[in-house]
Amino acid sequence: MNVAFHELVGIAIAHEASAALGPPTAYDGGSTTQRRGTIWAAAFGLAVLSHGILDGLPHYYPLGIWPDTVVSIAFLAFWLTRVPRWMRVPVIVVCVGSLLPDIIDHVPRDLNRHLHLGLPEWPKLFPWHWREGSGSIPGKTGPLWRVSVANHAIVVAFCVTAFIRTRQLLRRS
């Protein structure tokens, strides 16, 4: 799926983790600090795994590379202005987790393709990026178009549900 969808899921996961934890207190010592770290590590791991689930679904890419980049950056920047300060770093970290498989498997190849940097390109690490493990469908039309639209709509619906459930975390303007 496009980066924007992975990012949307990462933000939704961060929202759910933030809602479970609440804002940090003045003194988060001992088990409270350990619990917060454990939950954020689990959210990061879940974000990485969510990438695999999304990439395994049959899908076309509704956004080209530049619109996807612009939408992703604008969405994250907007969202960071809407959450409280204590959530900003966790949201960014969990978003990085949701993008990490693409960063590892695709960035060197893309940089070489566009900037001719000559970076080493390794075999893809994540199985959902292997040809037999990916749900990516070439082109943007065909018989699975409706399945792709449905899968994208389901992802957005789950994320919107998470945002509605955790709306108390958003700052009022």
Side-chain angles (χ1 to χ4, degrees), residues 108 111-113 115-121:
L111 288 174
N112 287 339
R113 182 185 311 159
L115 301 177
H116 311 291
L117 295 181
L119 298 172
E121 295 180 33

Side-chain angles (χ1 to χ4, degrees), residues 49 135 147 154:
L49 293 175
V147 173
I154 290 167

Side-chain angles (χ1 to χ4, degrees), residues 51-129:
H51 189 111
I53 292 168
L54 295 181
D55 276 3
L57 295 173
H59 63 279
Y60 293 112
Y61 292 91
L63 299 172
I65 188 167
W66 291 113
D68 187 29
T69 302
V70 169
V71 167
S72 298
I73 291 169
F75 184 62
L76 183 60
F78 170 77
W79 212 259
L80 290 174
T81 66
R82 304 301 306 154
V83 297
R85 185 178 309 266
W86 65 270
M87 272 183 65
R88 290 179 186 159
V89 170
V91 165
I92 291 170
V93 169
V94 175
C95 280
V96 167
S98 70
L99 301 177
L100 189 62
D102 280 349
I103 292 168
I104 292 171
D105 282 349
H106 297 312
V107 167
R109 183 198 61 182
D110 291 344
L111 288 174
N112 287 339
R113 182 185 311 159
H114 299 292
L115 301 177
H116 311 291
L117 295 181
L119 298 172
E121 295 180 33
W122 309 104
K124 291 183 175 34
L125 176 65
F126 296 94
W128 50 81
H129 287 150

Side-chain angles (χ1 to χ4, degrees), residues 108-161:
R109 183 198 61 182
D110 291 344
L111 288 174
N112 287 339
R113 182 185 311 159
H114 299 292
L115 301 177
H116 311 291
L117 295 181
L119 298 172
E121 295 180 33
W122 309 104
K124 291 183 175 34
L125 176 65
F126 296 94
W128 50 81
H129 287 150
W130 303 344
R131 184 172 305 278
E132 61 276 2
S134 175
S136 175
I137 305 165
K140 289 187 178 180
T141 60
L144 291 176
W145 180 81
R146 288 188 178 119
V147 173
S148 176
V149 169
N151 286 336
H152 283 87
I154 290 167
V155 169
V156 170
F158 272 105
C159 293
V160 167
T161 301

